[in-house]
Every structure is written in structure tokens, then in C-alpha cells.
Amino acid sequence: MSLLEVDRLQVHLFTNRGLVRAVDGVSFSLEAGRSLGIVGESGCGKTMTALALMRLIPTPPAQIVGGSIRFDGEDVVAMDDARLRALRGNQIAMIYQDPMTTLNPVFTVGEQIAESVRLHRHDGRHAAFLRAVEMLKLVGIPDPDRVARAYPHQLSGGMRQRAVIAMALACDPKLLIADEPTTALDVTIQAQILELLRRLRDDLGTGIILITHDLGVIADLVDEVVVMYAGKLVEHAPVRQLFAAPQHPYTRGLLRSVPSLDMREHRLRTIDGTVPPAHAMPEGCRFNPRCALVMDVCREKEPPLVDVGGGTRAACWALA
Amino acid sequence: MAGYILRRILEVIPTVLLVLTLVFFALRIMPGDPAVAALGEFAAPEAIEAFRDKLGLNKPLYVQYFSFIGQALTADFGRSMNNNTSVNALLAQALPHTIVLGLTATAIGIVVGIPFGAMTAVHRNGKLDGFGRIFALIGFSLPEFYFGVLLIIVFSLHLDWFPMLGAGKGFVDQAHHLVLPAITLGVVMAAFVMRLTRSSLLEVLRRDYVRTARGKGVPEHWVIFKHALRNALIPVTTGLGIYLLTTLSGTITVELVFSRPGLGTMLISGVSARDYTVVQAGLVVFAFFVVCVNLLTDLLCAAIDPRIALR
Ligand SMILES: Nc1ncnc2c1ncn2[C@@H]1O[C@H](COP(=O)(O)OP(=O)(O)O)[C@@H](O)[C@H]1O
Ligand code: SF4
Ligand SMILES: [Mg+2]
């Protein structure tokens, strides 16, 4: 049994301007202690997928309308509130995109970390606070005692993100979901946070889902990659395979736009066009207006997700 | 925090001096003469002159001004120009009634307004929220005197549950007399606090850190009453502070409607008698309230929000 099994997950948003199929039939699974990357441009449904795993999607407007999520064999979609609370912050924890808004401004960092320890381990106030200090130390904060007593606004963005990571790890979760944990940080801090995640992955054996719009970030951080486009899973492959032999035209486009490590080659190309707005989704393959290989069938029928060899699944008529 | 408190108290001093000055000159500009008011229209000019001398009204304005400032700062307001009783004694009689009324009304405003507002935010567009909307509409549109009179008609005249006028004697009787005036002021305040809490909480509930709390497995009522409400209370506190200042006039209205002794009643009778010393003292005390409420609001905000004191 896998740690996490997501099967044909559908998250729809019922907005004033119409229905948004933010996540439309996404399936993947994750074994305990393994790591998975979810990549795709902004607006492709990565955050909605991540939030759905903890049932944290904003309701209204969002709702899980189909599919299933099994965590440790348990059905998350059907879970009652008490069971869900016992899961959140304890078995599954999340690191969010913007550390500036993730922490509550009126409580100290230590209190906020200690809160989940008190909730899930039923530790006393003091023991929980000590645990918070210990976690801050673990994530590489040099002065954990002082930082635990500080309020979020007294810390830099990088420090806050470390604190958020400490909070997520406080109860030894089996699954850690990191939603673009470095996007809001400047470049040097980004590298430090990624290094921290790498170390934690090796030391703690936690399952990790790392979400990013930047393929360059995940090459040596995850075991497999799911590529999402406009709410659809378009390619799922082991990470080496994905970099060595990307199959889907969208994945290839994404890979071409990764800045090469030796900065001599400066041709940073992006895929032409943008993700279509929800109310103007093209028929057939959602990528067809931007695809160089587009065929007639692409404009009529959605391509099925099929095994294309090398451990890769992809949804493209050119591969089917 | 201690430094912040000290700074805020020091900042208050110029405001206080400005208010005292305004009070003094506003009274001198007001038409009418305390001597004429005390002795009557047809008193002999010599008698009026003698009376003015005795009250110190013939001294140069700046001498009167500084002696007034001295009085205000030492909280000794001299004697009533009208009947020679000590103004401090008048204040000692009036103030407790006004303070008790104000505090009770504020307590009603907070105790009803905040939980009610929080619940209407949580159950937005539900039945309770609809009821809250109507309650707020009534609270906002009814002037205090009208609401007070309405309460008197229903609960004093018709039902005879509560006494109509005055402040009563002894604790139980006084509490009995306090009910209707406090409700008059308190209900209107509760309507205001409720709407403010609602909108502020709705705004906060959309914040990322609320999702973070849920993501930690915090039970929903804690998410609301610990994580969200504490943040939502910052604008509520500021708003309530401003409201309390504007509602001082409401206190005067209510004292008049219910014929309660108090600062308002004292001020109004002082004004009609052109009793400078009484009016000055009353206004100084009102100004003192304003300053206190302001200071208290700021300190409360600083206690709720650590970012304020550390700026
Ligand atoms: N609160 C919301 N209201 C309406 N639409 C939303 C909301 N949040 C997200 N969306 C839409 O849902 C889709 C997926 O968003 P998201 O999961 O945040 O994408 P990603 O994380 O990949 O950038 C987007 O089209 C976005 O516009
Ligand atoms: S299905 Fe057609 S349009 Fe879509 S990616 Fe494949 S080739 Fe391009
Ligand atoms: Mg996102």
C-alpha cells in the first residue's frame, strides 16, 4: 500500500465568472519516504492539488467534485472533521509559498510551532516550546531560543520560511508538501532553503511533494515528476527519465526554458503563449493552441494518459 | 512596551493643553454674561460690576487664562459662578453617574457586539447574519433620544418594569435605574461593534495564516476565536475608540432624556447659566475622557498587535 494514492482527482471552482476546472482528473501515488515533484506554469492547478490533499482548498468556491485521495489507505475525501484535524499538521504538513503571510503576526514563532506539538502530542506548554526551539535549531536557525520568542515581523523572509518548515516538521509528518517554498525568496536564500530541504529529505525519511514552476529546482530533489498543464496531468516520469527523454511537447518546452547551469549559453526560451483562461479552455488537448505538433485530432478529442515506455506516462496524441 | 506607553503619554500633553485653550476661549466667545445670568436682566449695573469683580471676570484675559490652566492642571475648578458651590463637589456628584453609565453601555456594546459580530461573520449570509443586518440597520438609524424615549414608553409607562427618571438611591435601585439608559447607549454601540467585528473578521478569515492554522489541525473554533479574532480585534479596538469619542454626546442626550444626574446634565445647566467655571470644568473632564480613551485604545492595540509597539 502506498503512502498516498490520488486517483482521478477533480477540484472545481464555482466562481461568479463560471466554472473553473482547476484540477481535472489527476492521478499519482507516492511511496513512504519517496519524493515527487509537481511542475507546471503558474495557474496550472498545482496549489489546488496540494491543498486538496489536506482538504484545505478554500470552500467556497473550490470543491472536490470527483476522484479519491487515499492516505495510508484512508479515504481523505470522505474523512470527518475530527479525523482530518488529527491528520493535518501531524501526518501531513505543508510549507506554503509566501512566508510573509503564512505566519500569524500576533503570535510568536515559538508559540506557532508549539501549537501543533501541543495539539497532536498533547505536550505541556513548556515541553512544546522546547520542541519548537529544537525544531528551529534543526532547520538551521543560529539563535533558536531568541527566534522562538520573536514575532514573525522581526524575522527576514528566509528566516520565516525556515520557521514555517520547522512548524511543518514539528510532529514528524509522514508527508511534507512544499508549495513553491522558494518562489517568494531572493536567489541566495532560495539556494539555502533548497539545500535545507535536501538535507531534511536525507535525514528524516519523510515523503515529500515539492511543487514548483521551475524544473531546474527539482532535478536532484525528487524521485519522480508530475507535469501539470491547465488542470491536467500531462506527463508523469521518473526524474532522470524526464530530464533525459521528456515526452510531452509541454514538458519539452518547460525543459528548454530552464536556464542552463553554465551561464554562457544565454538563450532562455519560454513556450510561446500562455495558459488559457478557465472560461476559454480549448476543446481536445488543452495545450493545442501552443503546440508545434498540433494535429486535427488534438482539437477534437482529449488525449488519454498512456504508458509510453521508460516508466513514463504521457497524454499526447503524437505519442499515443 | 514600557517605552511605548511612556512615549504615548508624553505625546498626550500638547493635546491636553490645546484642548484646555480651546475650551477657555470658546466660552469667552459665547454670547451672554455670567453676572447677568446670575443676577437677572434688570440688576443694577453697579451690582453686576461688583459681581464680575468678585468672580475675577474683570481681570485681563491672560490672567484668567493662566489661572484656569493652573486650576485644570491641579484639578481644582474653583466655585460655581452661579451659586458659589464648589465645582469639585458638583463634579464629584455628577461624574460617578456618567462613568457608570458609560462603562455599562460600553460593556454591553462589547459583550454583545463582538461575539454576535463574530458569529455573523462565521455564518455569513445565514439566518443569524440576516438578523444582525436588521439589528444594525435599526441601531444605526435610530437616534439615541428617540430610542430612549421608546424604551421609556414601552418598559416604564406600559410595562412598568423600570423606573423612568433619575438615578435612584442605593445599589439595587441605582442598578434598576441604570438599565434603560445603559441599553439605549449600549444597543446602538453593540450594533456598531457587531458590524465592525463582522467585516474585520471576514477580512482576516481570508488571510493565509488562517489556512496555516487549519493546516496544523487547529479545531475550527480556535481558528476563529484565537487565530482570526485576535487579528480582527485590532481595527475593532480602533473603531470602538473613535466611536466612544463620538458617543460622548450620546451620553449627554441620554442623561437629558432620562433626567439622570451626570456630567451632561451638569454641562447643560452650566451653559444656560453662563456658569463659566462649571462649563469649563465639565469640558475639561470630557477632554480628559477623550484623551484617556485615545490612550487606552492605543495601548490596547499595542497589547493585541506586537508590531505596533515595536515600530
Ligand atoms: N480563489 C480562487 N478563485 C477563483 N479562481 C481561482 C482561485 N484560486 C485559484 N483559482 C484558479 O484555479 C486555477 C489553479 O490555480 P492554482 O492551483 O493556484 O495554480 P498554480 O498553483 O499551479 O499556480 C487557476 O486557473 C486559478 O486562476
Ligand atoms: S495532443 Fe496534440 S496538441 Fe496536445 S500536446 Fe500532443 S501533439 Fe500537441
Ligand atoms: Mg501555486
Side-chain angles (χ1 to χ4, degrees):
Chain A
M1 182 181 64
S2 307
L3 177 66
L4 178 72
E5 283 169 27
V6 178
D7 187 31
R8 284 163 293 176
L9 178 66
Q10 280 186 304
V11 179
H12 288 184
L13 290 131
F14 299 88
T15 70
N16 296 335
R17 298 198 293 152
L19 179 70
V20 180
R21 295 191 177 87
V23 182
D24 207 7
V26 167
S27 309
F28 58 85
S29 64
L30 185 70
E31 305 302 317
R34 305 272 293 170
S35 53
L36 173 86
I38 301 181
V39 296
E41 288 162 296
S42 180
C44 283
K46 305 181 299 292
T47 296
M48 283 299 152
T49 306
L51 291 176
L53 301 181
M54 289 172 81
R55 289 247 313 266
L56 275 180
I57 51 171
T59 312
Q63 212 175 316
I64 298 177
V65 293
S68 72
I69 300 166
R70 292 193 160 271
F71 181 81
D72 251 352
E74 238 185 310
D75 184 353
V76 176
V77 178
M79 225 173 238
D80 65 27
D81 286 350
R83 191 70 202 104
L84 201 56
R85 281 200 303 273
L87 196 77
R88 289 171 174 173
N90 189 22
Q91 312 259 24
I92 310 181
M94 188 146 169
I95 304 168
Y96 305 86
Q97 179 164 343
D98 187 355
M100 298 319 228
T101 58
T102 297
L103 294 166
N104 194 324
V106 303
F107 296 108
T108 65
V109 165
E111 283 171 324
Q112 296 186 57
I113 300 171
E115 187 176 29
S116 46
V117 181
R118 293 177 65 190
L119 278 169
H120 298 298
R121 302 187 158 194
H122 309 288
D123 276 2
R125 190 176 285 269
H126 186 65
F129 190 79
L130 289 182
R131 171 79 179 161
V133 174
E134 184 193 324
M135 294 315 295
L136 287 170
K137 197 166 155 198
L138 177 79
V139 297
I141 285 183
D143 194 356
D145 253 315
R146 191 186 57 82
V147 168
R149 287 180 174 79
Y151 289 95
H153 71 275
Q154 295 171 296
L155 306 177
S156 67
M159 281 293 198
R160 288 192 214 190
Q161 195 61 308
R162 281 176 198 267
V164 173
I165 296 173
M167 188 160 82
L169 295 174
C171 295
D172 292 324
K174 290 183 191 163
L175 176 61
L176 180 66
I177 304 170
D179 186 6
E180 310 215 26
T182 61
T183 305
L185 304 171
D186 64 48
V187 180
T188 43
I189 310 296
Q190 282 189 16
Q192 291 171 14
I193 296 291
L194 289 172
E195 186 49 45
L196 170 66
L197 287 176
R198 193 170 296 126
R199 201 190 83 214
L200 293 171
R201 180 201 58 184
D202 295 341
D203 294 355
L204 302 179
T206 309
I208 293 180
I209 292 180
L210 178 66
I211 294 170
T212 175
H213 63 264
D214 178 5
L215 262 173
V217 157
I218 54 169
D220 59 343
L221 249 166
V222 298
D223 304 314
E224 317 167 27
V225 181
V226 159
V227 181
M228 282 184 75
Y229 183 76
K232 291 277 181 189
L233 190 161
V234 295
E235 182 162 356
H236 181 184
V239 68
R240 281 163 188 278
Q241 185 68 17
L242 188 95
F243 278 89
Q247 297 297 312
H248 196 280
Y250 179 62
T251 314
R252 294 190 196 170
L254 281 181
L255 272 172
R256 270 198 302 275
S257 59
V258 173
S260 55
L261 281 180
D262 57 79
M263 292 300 276
R264 270 165 297 170
E265 196 193 8
H266 240 349
R267 282 184 310 130
L268 181 66
R269 284 179 38 198
T270 53
I271 312 164
D272 290 337
T274 52
V275 185
H279 52 87
M281 269 307 157
E283 288 284 307
C285 171
R286 293 181 180 188
F287 188 59
N288 80 56
R290 302 172 72 184
C291 183
L293 308 179
V294 60
M295 303 168 284
D296 284 344
V297 61
C298 306
R299 298 201 180 89
E300 283 152 24
K301 285 202 291 190
E302 260 185 50
L305 191 65
V306 292
D307 204 322
V308 295
T312 299
R313 296 186 297 155
C316 171
W317 286 120
L319 303 167
Chain B
M1 187 74 180
Y4 175 77
I5 296 176
L6 193 70
R7 205 166 71 225
R8 284 295 297 118
I9 291 177
L10 287 179
E11 276 168 12
V12 155
I13 292 173
T15 323
V16 171
L17 283 177
L18 182 71
V19 168
L20 292 182
T21 309
L22 283 179
V23 165
F24 178 83
F25 287 104
L27 276 177
R28 310 294 133 160
I29 292 168
M30 189 168 81
D33 183 323
V36 175
L39 300 179
E41 290 276 356
F42 305 105
E46 302 78 43
I48 289 185
E49 214 37 39
F51 195 78
R52 289 180 60 89
D53 249 355
K54 197 176 113 213
L55 295 180
L57 289 170
N58 286 334
K59 288 188 200 150
L61 211 51
Y62 72 91
V63 175
Q64 294 184 43
Y65 172 70
F66 282 113
S67 104
F68 162 63
I69 297 284
Q71 284 179 343
L73 293 183
T74 53
D76 171 11
F77 295 101
R79 305 200 151 263
S80 156
M81 292 189 173
N82 203 28
N83 54 24
N84 206 32
T85 44
S86 138
V87 176
N88 281 22
L90 289 177
L91 276 178
Q93 227 178 32
L95 257 184
H97 291 299
T98 301
I99 291 177
V100 167
L101 175 61
L103 285 181
T104 315
T106 309
I108 294 176
I110 291 172
V111 168
V112 175
I114 290 179
F116 193 12
M119 283 187 302
T120 56
V122 173
H123 303 288
R124 177 150 76 133
N125 296 335
K127 265 201 194 108
L128 193 72
D129 195 20
F131 177 71
R133 229 177 282 254
I134 295 169
F135 176 66
L137 198 67
I138 295 172
F140 288 158
S141 52
L142 271 191
E144 268 121 359
F145 76 87
Y146 184 78
F147 188 41
V149 169
L150 213 65
L151 287 183
I152 290 181
I153 292 174
V154 176
F155 293 103
S156 300
L157 289 179
H158 281 285
L159 296 171
D160 202 17
W161 287 357
F162 296 101
M164 205 157 66
L165 305 171
K169 295 217 161 38
F171 182 77
V172 174
D173 191 32
Q174 286 193 343
H176 200 196
H177 276 82
L178 184 63
V179 174
L180 291 186
I183 287 180
T184 307
L185 276 176
V187 162
V188 178
M189 200 184 309
F192 174 82
V193 172
M194 179 196 80
R195 291 307 275 186
L196 200 57
T197 306
R198 179 184 182 274
S199 62
S200 176
L201 188 60
L202 279 177
E203 212 270 317
V204 168
L205 283 172
R206 280 196 292 268
R207 299 286 179 89
D208 284 351
Y209 54 75
V210 171
R211 182 180 64 194
T212 309
R214 293 197 176 113
K216 277 194 286 189
V218 176
E220 190 60 20
H221 62 275
W222 277 18
V223 171
I224 288 158
F225 286 99
K226 180 179 167 191
H227 287 267
L229 192 58
R230 173 130 181 223
N231 282 281
L233 283 184
I234 299 162
V236 172
T237 308
T238 316
L240 186 63
I242 295 167
Y243 182 85
L244 283 179
L245 301 186
T246 64
T247 202
L248 283 175
S249 60
T251 320
I252 297 179
T253 314
V254 166
E255 285 179 356
L256 289 180
V257 168
F258 289 90
S259 302
R260 278 176 68 84
L263 208 52
T265 320
M266 177 181 146
L267 255 180
I268 298 296
S269 62
V271 168
S272 54
R274 298 292 182 272
D275 198 334
Y276 286 3
T277 38
V278 167
V279 178
Q280 274 169 189
L283 288 179
V284 166
V285 171
F286 264 126
F288 178 73
F289 278 162
V290 171
V291 168
C292 282
V293 166
N294 256 327
L295 195 62
L296 207 66
T297 311
D298 284 358
L299 295 183
L300 260 178
C301 280
I304 299 173
D305 184 353
R307 285 166 299 185
I308 294 173
L310 289 159
R311 253 204 300 264

